DNA sequence: ATGCTGTCTGTGAGCGTTCACAGTAGAGAA
DNA sequence: TTCTCTACTGTGAACGCTCACAGACAGCAT
């Protein structure tokens, strides 16, 4: 009994608010009011309009709406990483999925934007500042991203994933508690009786990398374990850098009995290096990761790691962004992490 | 009330076509003509308009344009897989990245749509048929997807990734040559002297799964090797099903000396099962994968596999979709694969 | 002169919505 | 009665663009 939306082939012209109004016996204005919250509309009209919408199969024309409201009712998901990252890092994928779903709950479409090259970056910045999206979810492990600054100056609502460098107060961000997560992991390694604990850090020009290292040092100091610079090397979150990092640690400090690797992907690389060096995990060396990405369960042995709550992070990012679009001030949200014990420790 | 334009920064009202026209000393119509290809515009006007555009920083308002053209100049990337797939399968990520870039080259934004649940599916179908995107790139390993059929009936331009089941002539698709790829791999295994070659197939309700199995059988028959049903088990492209499949093969045919696994992800699982069973790869059992996804290089040993040219696939999908939006008939494109030799054979 | 091309340009209309405003009806107060 | 207040409804603008159309002007033939 519902509308049979035309036969095969050819797209029929969709019904407008006018058709709905005629069908319901009311004016355009009333239909519009029903569509936008239904305040100051009589129950009878409300009912008639809803029935007419169902009958005609009406769906609002977002372009017409946007033209007058100035909003686009869509938001951009911007990745400023070089593109290989997207391939390699499972975290991005989870984040993307969760953000898409969080936005879908608000009926807001997500536009995927990849700014790998300088050209793309310009094109996208231009697109965004032209007002084609209402706000931007920004993912970039390079902190102090020039794009962030540029968008902020243009007055574009923006939420960053992960703590940004420098003038943090003016830009919104959502991040996991890196320092606390690192503390948990190192405490866990200590509790296993390990004392020669190495670390492969993240990039030290990013707050995330710095904080995880800080947590590591803090706990060791508290426990009265001497901090040995030969046990500290830095990576860039990539698998390859984890492998190289572990190799370096093994040569600098052959007596290492545990290693905290600041991302699961790097930890996978570290496992490879350790295996090649003939160290058994976890018997000879305990390995702790960070993220709880799919890499953690895929590797053998499965990684003990620090879980970043990506679902909550995504939801918060969307919540903060929408609030900011609604006129609220930028906000920072830090979410707790959780130790997940598996086979590698 | 909330007219105060978002707290701090403040977004300036962007210039319109009118401003450009005034600046250039021409009419709106002329500016519009320059914007849309520049036919029937004098070189002098052309120049003046372009200068005015640069000077004012004008960017076209897509909503206003869409309102009148009826096009949205955006396309949807629709994933109808259950969501875990997105996590696990690196192919999706590559495809998504490549499609985004291919569209960016045409200055067309990509809307990411995830239809995991029935509710989401309905919401998205409604959104699409309302004309909010001009066309859809569909990824679904379940062939005969009801969404595809629904969109096709609504007259929405659609290109599927991978060969669809059944009424294939009316829907566009782009796929790698599954059968030929499988043939190459099995020939390769035969050339290594293997004769007891097992296979873990993809889902056999999908053409991709069927074709890869067909290629396997074809080459064995040609080579005069008897086809043994105990050497054939089926999976669903997931890592877990690869592991289970390899286990089943080992118990049904312990003399197996090679296995063709219809996806790299499953091959990873198979490697795990083989290692657990004490078989050395490639010494005891050669393992061949399919896809050349990141899983192939990440596993140890690195997988010999059949490369699917995802960059070309993406480009073709976009090309065919845009052609279809432009009024051309649906088209099917099959692209050649390539054998990539690594450590597992 | 007149007509006919072809190239180029300006103008009004209108796409489908929302928004501001004006208007109506009924209830209650003076 | 009359006035005010509240709840609701209808109407004419816009929003920024493209499209169809008409007009202008040059070149070249009649």
């Amino acid at each position: 009994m519902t509308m049979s939306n035309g036969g095969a082939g050819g797209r029929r012209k969709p019904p407008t608010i006018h058709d709905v109004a005629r069908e319901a016996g009311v004016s355009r204005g009333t239909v519009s009011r029903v569509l936008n919250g239904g305040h100051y509309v009589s129950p009878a009209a409300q009912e008639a309009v809803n029935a007419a919408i169902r009958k005609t199969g009406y769906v609002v024309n977002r372009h017409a709406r946007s033209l007058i409201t100035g909003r686009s009712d869509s938001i951009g998901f911007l990745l400023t990483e070089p593109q290989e990252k997207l391939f390699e890092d499972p975290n991005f994928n989870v984040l993307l999925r969760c953000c898409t779903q969080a936005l879908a709950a608000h009926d807001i479409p997500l536009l995927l934007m990849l700014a790998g090259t300088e050209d793309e970056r310009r094109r996208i910045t231009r697109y965004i500042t032209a007002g084609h999206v209402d706000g931007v979810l920004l993912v970039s492990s390079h902190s102090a991203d020039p794009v962030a600054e540029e968008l902020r100056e243009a007055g574009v609502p923006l939420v960053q994933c992960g703590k940004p460098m420098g003038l943090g107060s003016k830009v919104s961000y959502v991040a996991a508690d890196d320092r606390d997560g690192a503390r948990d992991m190192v405490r866990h390694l200590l509790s296993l009786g390990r004392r020669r604990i190495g670390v492969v850090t993240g990039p030290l020009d990013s707050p995330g990398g710095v904080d995880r290292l800080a947590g590591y040092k803090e706990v060791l100091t508290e426990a009265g374990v001497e901090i040995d610079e030969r046990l500290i090397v830095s990576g860039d979150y990539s698998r390859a850098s984890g492998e190289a990092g572990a190799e370096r640690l093994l040569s600098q400090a052959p007596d290492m009995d545990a290693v905290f690797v600041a991302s699961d992907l790097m930890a996978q690389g570290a496992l490879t290096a350790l295996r090649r060096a003939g160290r058994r995990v976890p018997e000879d060396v305990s390995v702790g990761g960070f993220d709880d990405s799919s890499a953690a369960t895929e590797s053998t042995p499965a990684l003990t790691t620090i879980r970043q709550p990506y679902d909550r992070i995504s939801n918060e990012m969307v919540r903060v962004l929408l609030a900011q679009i609604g006129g609220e001030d930028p906000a920072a949200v830090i979410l707790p992490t959780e130790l997940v014990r598996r086979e590698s420790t």
Side-chain angles (χ1 to χ4, degrees), chain A residues 24-50 53:
Chain A
V26 298
S27 72
R28 290 170 4 246
T30 301
V31 176
S32 178
R33 275 184 285 266
V34 171
L35 253 35
N36 297 294
H39 296 301
Y40 285 90
V41 181
S42 68
Q46 183 95 244
E47 183 64 25
V49 168
N50 283 327
I53 287 175

Side-chain angles (χ1 to χ4, degrees), chain A residues 142-162:
Chain A
H142 299 40
S143 59
D145 198 305
V147 172
E149 186 56 22
E150 206 170 333
L151 293 179
R152 201 181 61 73
E153 274 178 11
V156 178
L158 179 76
V159 176
Q160 207 158 343
C161 177

Side-chain angles (χ1 to χ4, degrees), chain A residues 77 79 81 85-86 89-97 139:
Chain A
F77 186 96
L79 224 53
E81 295 301 319
K85 281 278 190 178
L86 179 62
D89 200 328
N91 297 317
F92 287 140
N93 303 319
V94 177
L95 205 59
L96 178 57
R97 188 185 76 89
V139 177

Side-chain angles (χ1 to χ4, degrees), chain A residues 23-314:
Chain A
E23 180 71 34
V26 298
S27 72
R28 290 170 4 246
T30 301
V31 176
S32 178
R33 275 184 285 266
V34 171
L35 253 35
N36 297 294
H39 296 301
Y40 285 90
V41 181
S42 68
Q46 183 95 244
E47 183 64 25
V49 168
N50 283 327
I53 287 175
R54 276 193 300 274
K55 182 168 176 194
T56 56
Y58 171 78
V59 178
V60 67
N61 181 326
R62 299 171 95 110
H63 301 304
R65 172 183 285 173
S66 293
L67 182 55
I68 188 159
T69 60
R71 285 175 283 118
S72 70
D73 292 320
S74 65
I75 80 106
F77 186 96
L78 175 57
L79 224 53
T80 60
E81 295 301 319
Q83 299 144 4
E84 307 82 44
K85 281 278 190 178
L86 179 62
F87 281 101
E88 212 192 332
D89 200 328
N91 297 317
F92 287 140
N93 303 319
V94 177
L95 205 59
L96 178 57
R97 188 185 76 89
C98 291
C99 285
T100 306
Q101 292 182 320
L103 285 167
H106 294 272
D107 206 28
I108 297 177
L110 175 148
L111 274 64
L112 182 58
M113 305 171 156
L114 306 180
T117 69
E118 196 52 46
D119 268 2
E120 288 170 348
R121 176 170 298 206
R122 251 196 306 278
R123 205 180 48 74
I124 289 171
T125 311
R126 199 176 166 78
Y127 185 89
I128 293 172
T129 51
H132 292 316
V133 293
D134 294 340
V136 173
L137 301 169
L138 177 63
V139 177
S140 147
S141 66
H142 299 40
S143 59
D145 198 305
V147 172
E149 186 56 22
E150 206 170 333
L151 293 179
R152 201 181 61 73
E153 274 178 11
V156 178
L158 179 76
V159 176
Q160 207 158 343
C161 177
K163 205 195 288 186
M165 208 92 186
L167 32 76
S169 67
K170 291 192 164 179
V171 52
S172 293
Y173 68 89
V174 178
D177 195 331
D178 291 303
R179 178 186 295 228
D180 201 55
R183 276 198 294 244
D184 281 348
M185 178 56 80
V186 179
R187 266 194 220 106
H188 169 63
L189 295 173
L190 284 172
S191 78
L192 298 171
R194 307 299 184 170
R195 286 300 176 273
R196 295 292 290 165
I197 303 176
V199 60
V200 183
T201 75
L204 293 178
D205 61 344
S206 84
V210 171
D211 286 357
R212 290 177 202 178
L213 176 58
Y216 162 87
K217 288 184 172 172
E218 227 174 280
V219 168
L220 288 188
T221 306
E222 276 172 26
V225 176
E226 179 203 15
I227 288 180
D228 183 345
E229 290 296 331
R230 286 169 303 183
L231 282 168
I232 302 178
V233 302
S234 66
D236 63 3
Y237 292 141
S238 74
R239 183 188 321 264
S241 78
E243 193 170 334
E247 253 168 17
R248 204 137 23 95
L249 285 177
L250 285 173
S251 75
Q252 288 173 17
D255 60 335
M256 177 172 76
D257 58 9
V259 57
F260 164 46
V261 191
S263 86
D264 288 343
L265 217 49
M266 288 200 295
Q268 271 197 338
L271 286 180
T272 306
L274 289 167
R275 190 180 313 129
R276 197 170 40 230
R279 310 294 176 103
R280 290 167 306 163
V281 176
E283 293 83 354
D284 304 331
V285 180
S286 296
V287 176
F290 204 103
D291 289 342
D292 196 24
S293 71
S294 58
T297 47
E298 284 166 16
S299 55
T300 39
L303 285 169
T304 292
T305 190
I306 298 294
R307 176 168 151 65
Q308 293 210 56
Y310 281 111
D311 45 351
R312 288 190 59 196
I313 290 177
S314 309

